[in-house]
Amino acid sequence: MNTFLRGGVSFFDDQKSQTSHKPIERFVPKEVTIPLSQHLGEPARPIVARKQKVMRGDCIGEAVSGGVTTGGTPIHASVTGTVKRVALQPHPLLVESLAVVIETDPNAAETVWEEVPGWMDLPKGKMLEQIASAGIVGLGGAQFPTYRKLKLPEGVKVDTLILNGAECEPYLTSDHRLLLEMSLEVLQGAKLIAKILGVSKILIGIEENKKDAADVLRIAITKQHTSPSPKVVLCQTRYPQGSEKQLIEALTGRVVPPGKLPMHVGVMVQNVATAVACYQAIRYRRPLLDRILTVSGKGILEPKNVSVPIGTLVSDIVTFCGGIHQRTNKVIVGGPMMGRALGRLDIPVIKGTGGLLFLRAEEVRKEIYGPCISCGRCLEACPLGLEPNQISIYTEAGRSLDTESFGTKECFECGSCAYVCPAVRPLVQFIQIAKKSFQTGSQFGLARPEQNL
């Protein structure tokens, strides 16, 4: 079974059975709050005002400043309705961000997207232009503008496109359901991206706990009889199989060197949901308007996979899912390994939101962390061979700028080290502090007077 060679962890119960059998349900709230910052780079500039009528798909924020493109993505109205205000609002990652609040028109007709004539034969530049105009970002969580990722630097070529359907985080099943319910769109998106890149080899990586999705895709590929023909590759169920470097190694045997990108070993990786968004942008000029996400955990009364307009508040999703159990202890946006805790529920879903977890006390570690006991388990679990134990010890001692040799800058914060740590040390947070110190040039730390390196 294909997999990566170093580190990683396996879960006794990945909790995916809560939602893996549940079809995607559509839900439209009475109001959406659409942040103008939903991608890496500068926020979009609002181009609508209070009381203005907007249609679903209208551009409401431009990725332009002073007549010059910012390198970001435009933002679109995800519902038809009336702008209530443009103001600072809660944001899942930035605390607060400028956002457009739109009241949904309950009587609005469903938007019809007209097919672009000759869409399959559009030139590469035109396809990239439509992807950029659609505001598509990486939906695997990176939120990097997709059109920029697909525009390879001069002189760089890739020979393989990998679609990432691993979805290795516990609880999350939205990509699994997308593969089952939208397999044709996934394949169309893969072929269009391959055409943009000029590659003939397409691999779709799926963990073995989603074998039904792999079977559906293989049947769809057989029926299509088109070239290039994607190949579905089952991978071992092992975290973090879905990270770019680990999936590339599992599917191709190629190893991305430290400090390099997948394109440097001839590979481009795109999430399966991103592929569907690209297909819809190229065929229909349809912007990225909705987000499919998993709502799970023992704290939510009716776990579901839902498709909601971007900007839907977590509180409205909670209502749609029957409410929260009174013993809910923690709310996380994303997966339990790499997600972030939410302190409030009036937070909007953004393009990068793949899951919402409502965890009860028995699902959350509550122990207080202790000093490193030098057991070495974090070293065995790290998929990059880094030294999270040393990073934490040095950072704790106020020497965060001395941690580069332990791999601070290479870490992508998968959380495998913290998951296996018997001392319950918050290793990822220590690494984040160390990274911050390199950005600012200042030592950060949580020095304890008795600590002496």
Side-chain angles (χ1 to χ4, degrees), residues 36 39-47 59-76 98 132-133 135 145 147-148:
L36 293 160
H39 49 262
L40 295 181
E42 292 293 315
R45 182 179 64 84
I47 56 172
C59 184
I60 58 175
E62 289 182 334
V64 174
S65 179
V68 180
T69 180
T70 62
T73 64
I75 302 293
H76 302 82
L98 195 62
S133 298
Y147 77 95
R148 289 175 57 192

Side-chain angles (χ1 to χ4, degrees), residues 162-449:
I162 291 179
L163 282 200
N164 188 350
E167 199 171 45
C168 57
E169 278 262 16
Y171 290 90
L172 304 187
T173 61
S174 56
D175 283 353
H176 183 186
R177 294 307 311 181
L178 180 136
L179 287 167
L180 288 172
E181 300 176 35
M182 303 180 72
S183 58
L184 293 178
E185 290 89 341
V186 171
L187 295 177
Q188 291 283 14
K191 290 175 183 177
L192 292 169
I193 294 172
K195 184 174 182 179
I196 292 171
L197 297 172
V199 305
S200 58
K201 187 174 184 179
I202 304 173
L203 303 176
I204 304 177
I206 298 176
E207 285 192 333
E208 61 179 334
N209 60 357
K210 293 177 274 293
K211 188 173 181 302
D212 54 347
D215 293 340
V216 167
L217 275 177
R218 285 173 175 146
I219 292 171
I221 291 169
T222 303
K223 289 180 177 177
Q224 285 197 327
H225 298 295
T226 56
S227 179
S229 181
K231 179 183 179 183
V232 178
V233 183
L234 272 183
C235 305
Q236 184 178 330
T237 301
R238 184 178 168 209
Y239 185 85
Q241 191 76 257
S243 73
E244 282 193 336
K245 292 185 176 180
Q246 278 59 49
L247 192 61
I248 290 170
E249 184 180 357
L251 269 57
T252 70
R254 301 177 192 176
V255 176
V256 182
K260 299 295 183 181
L261 297 172
M263 63 181 173
H264 295 123
V265 295
V267 179
M268 171 71 68
V269 181
Q270 292 286 348
N271 177 267
V272 291
T274 310
V276 172
C278 289
Y279 160 72
Q280 294 172 335
I282 293 171
R283 182 166 184 174
Y284 300 108
R285 287 199 187 93
R286 184 187 189 279
L288 180 56
L289 303 175
D290 302 317
R291 179 70 219 206
I292 299 173
L293 65 151
T294 300
V295 186
S296 190
K298 295 179 180 177
I300 193 77
L301 295 184
E302 298 175 21
K304 298 176 185 285
N305 286 297
V306 299
S307 174
V308 297
I310 289 168
T312 300
L313 297 184
V314 172
S315 54
D316 288 331
I317 295 175
V318 167
T319 301
F320 182 67
C321 293
I324 298 177
H325 194 284
Q326 61 181 1
R327 291 178 57 198
T328 299
N329 186 277
K330 191 173 187 179
V331 182
I332 294 176
V333 58
M337 297 296 287
M338 296 187 72
R340 298 190 181 207
L342 290 183
R344 50 199 295 179
L345 299 182
D346 57 345
I347 299 284
V349 167
I350 60 174
K351 295 175 181 178
T353 306
L356 291 170
L357 304 183
F358 298 84
L359 306 180
R360 286 166 54 170
E362 60 267 30
E363 298 175 278
V364 179
R365 296 178 79 172
K366 298 181 287 294
E367 306 97 320
I368 297 174
Y369 79 90
C372 176
I373 59 174
S374 301
C375 66
R377 292 183 64 182
C378 61
L379 304 179
E380 297 173 359
C382 179
L384 297 180
L386 310 182
E387 299 180 64
N389 56 340
Q390 295 295 340
I391 298 172
S392 74
I393 292 170
Y394 273 70
T395 300
E396 204 169 26
R399 295 179 58 185
S400 53
L401 284 175
D402 298 330
T403 63
E404 185 172 358
S405 62
F406 304 127
T408 299
K409 293 182 178 178
E410 291 299 313
C411 177
F412 62 94
E413 303 173 16
C414 70
S416 296
C417 54
Y419 179 77
V420 301
C421 178
V424 203
R425 289 174 64 77
L427 297 171
V428 174
Q429 283 78 6
F430 279 125
I431 293 169
Q432 290 171 338
I433 291 171
K435 284 182 178 178
K436 190 70 177 177
S437 72
F438 286 111
Q439 293 172 5
T440 62
S442 303
Q443 293 278 18
F444 281 87
L446 304 168
R448 295 177 176 179

